[in-house]
Amino acid sequence: MRDSRESRLLLVLLVAIAFALITVDLQGGEQSPLDGARRTTASALGPVQEGVATAVDPVGNAVTAVRGSGERHERLKALQKENMELRRELGSDDRNRARAKELDSLLSTAGAGGYGIKAAEVVGIGAAQGFSWTVTVDIGREDGITPDMTVINGAGLVGRTTTVGNSTATVLLANDPDFTVGTRLEGSSELGFATGRGGNAMTVQLLNGQAKVHKGDRLVTFGSHKDTPFVPGVPVGEVGAVERQTGDLTRTLRIRPFAEFTRLDVIGIVVEPPREDPRDEVLRPDPPKKPKPAPTVTVTATPGADPTPGDSLAPQGQATPAEPVDPAQPAPGAE
């Protein structure tokens, strides 16, 4: 108990002395009697404070650097975001230009065939119908689309509609093995049936096994009863090869479709058939073939050979110049 009371009294006394010294120092200002003691303390503790500051400064600098690094990181993220947005805008412009070009081609094909169409965008591939070659488009029953409508793009036949929802529709592509369409051969009008083979290939069975067919011949759709599911005159593809099979009543053709089924974007669904069968008028004319240059003939004299009298070194096809004739001399053989 005694030690405790003495300790408390000593603490109270020290606090009182501290307050007294603070009061005297504040009232004295620059003439404070404690100013000399303060300078002595500063001189003694200055080097220690400077050393501590030197040791602490790198830590402070590191903290400042980390804070600055965070700010720079945020700025970098902002710049990267702006760059991505600019790239997206540029990509969007390129895509819009490509889609505008596809739409122009689609409208040109539809106009040439007299088809009334509704343009759509491919928004999905490989619908839930299994392993069929299908795509999903962004228009449906609300836009007047029904099953079994012809689907085209600027290049030609794409397929036909199958399942139709309120705002979407499924298109069975022409390269699907379950796809079949009647065809007409350009020029000769030979009829056949085209079937998908997957990938980017089709096969056509011509009804006439003796029909004359050449590589590069083109085919269009023959059309269906009441234009369902196919309207006539839509370009299908060109002959890539003719299979030679003896004894068959039909002839098989390997076809390269005009439409690229792995690069579909803007397509058109035919909602109004043509008034008249365009037959093969929708096919674009073949580019004119350039004439082959005439062969050049060069005549070269044999080295070291002396020309015999009457021989000429002039190139073939050119006349040999005649020797001048003196009118005063008689003609050879004249008496």
Side-chain angles (χ1 to χ4, degrees):
M1 291 294 288
R2 182 179 178 184
D3 293 338
S4 178
R5 283 198 300 269
E6 291 178 355
S7 299
R8 284 198 294 270
L9 289 174
L10 179 60
L11 178 61
V12 171
L13 179 61
L14 291 174
V15 171
I17 294 173
F19 274 109
L21 291 175
I22 293 172
T23 303
V24 172
D25 186 41
L26 291 176
Q27 291 178 352
E30 296 181 356
Q31 304 298 327
S32 172
L34 300 178
D35 187 55
R38 185 166 49 244
R39 289 198 192 96
T40 303
T41 304
S43 299
L45 298 180
V48 178
Q49 183 179 6
E50 184 178 358
V52 173
T54 304
V56 173
D57 279 346
V59 179
N61 293 337
V63 172
T64 304
V66 171
R67 291 175 180 172
S69 176
E71 294 176 357
R72 289 193 296 272
H73 181 67
E74 293 298 326
R75 179 56 179 161
L76 179 60
K77 287 177 62 177
L79 291 175
Q80 289 176 343
K81 184 178 180 181
E82 293 177 4
N83 191 21
M84 290 177 62
E85 291 177 354
L86 290 175
R87 287 179 178 273
R88 190 179 300 113
E89 291 177 1
L90 292 175
S92 178
D93 290 342
D94 293 340
R95 185 184 179 193
N96 289 337
R97 283 192 291 269
R99 295 174 70 188
K101 185 177 180 180
E102 288 187 23
L103 182 59
D104 289 342
S105 180
L106 171 63
L107 295 176
S108 176
T109 299
Y115 312 125
I117 65 169
K118 284 202 171 181
E121 180 182 357
V122 175
V123 295
I125 60 173
Q129 282 81 359
F131 295 99
S132 301
W133 286 79
T134 60
V135 296
T136 302
V137 296
D138 62 351
I139 59 176
R141 191 178 300 110
E142 296 175 349
D143 304 285
I145 306 303
T146 61
D148 290 331
M149 283 184 165
T150 307
V151 182
I152 66 174
N153 67 359
L157 180 66
V158 170
R160 62 179 175 86
T161 57
T162 54
T163 306
V164 179
N166 289 333
S167 58
T168 61
T170 301
V171 177
L172 182 68
L173 301 181
N175 65 338
D176 188 274
D178 292 333
F179 186 95
T180 301
V181 59
T183 60
R184 184 193 298 275
L185 194 63
E186 179 186 14
S188 65
S189 297
E190 293 285 353
L191 303 181
F193 293 96
T195 304
R197 296 181 57 241
N200 199 47
M202 300 180 72
T203 300
V204 171
Q205 289 288 130
L206 288 182
L207 300 182
N208 180 8
Q210 304 300 319
K212 295 182 179 180
V213 188
H214 303 88
K215 183 178 179 180
D217 289 348
R218 300 179 293 181
L219 301 100
V220 298
T221 56
F222 176 73
S224 307
H225 178 62
K226 294 185 179 181
D227 301 308
T228 303
F230 301 109
V231 295
V234 179
V236 177
E238 66 178 12
V239 177
V242 180
E243 294 185 356
R244 305 290 182 180
Q245 296 179 354
T246 307
D248 289 348
L249 298 178
T250 60
R251 173 164 289 184
T252 303
L253 310 177
R254 300 287 182 177
I255 303 300
R256 292 191 295 263
F258 291 128
E260 297 184 28
F261 302 109
T262 58
R263 298 179 58 186
L264 297 174
D265 189 4
V266 179
I267 56 94
I269 300 179
V270 180
V271 295
E272 184 179 348
R275 295 182 179 180
E276 297 181 358
D277 185 354
R279 300 180 75 87
D280 55 13
E281 294 179 1
V282 185
L283 292 170
R284 292 178 173 84
D286 291 330
K289 296 181 180 179
K290 296 181 179 181
K292 296 182 179 180
T296 303
V297 179
T298 304
V299 178
T300 305
T302 304
D306 295 331
T308 58
D311 289 344
S312 173
L313 297 180
Q316 295 181 1
Q318 296 183 6
T320 303
E323 296 181 356
V325 179
D326 187 356
Q329 297 292 334
E335 294 284 333

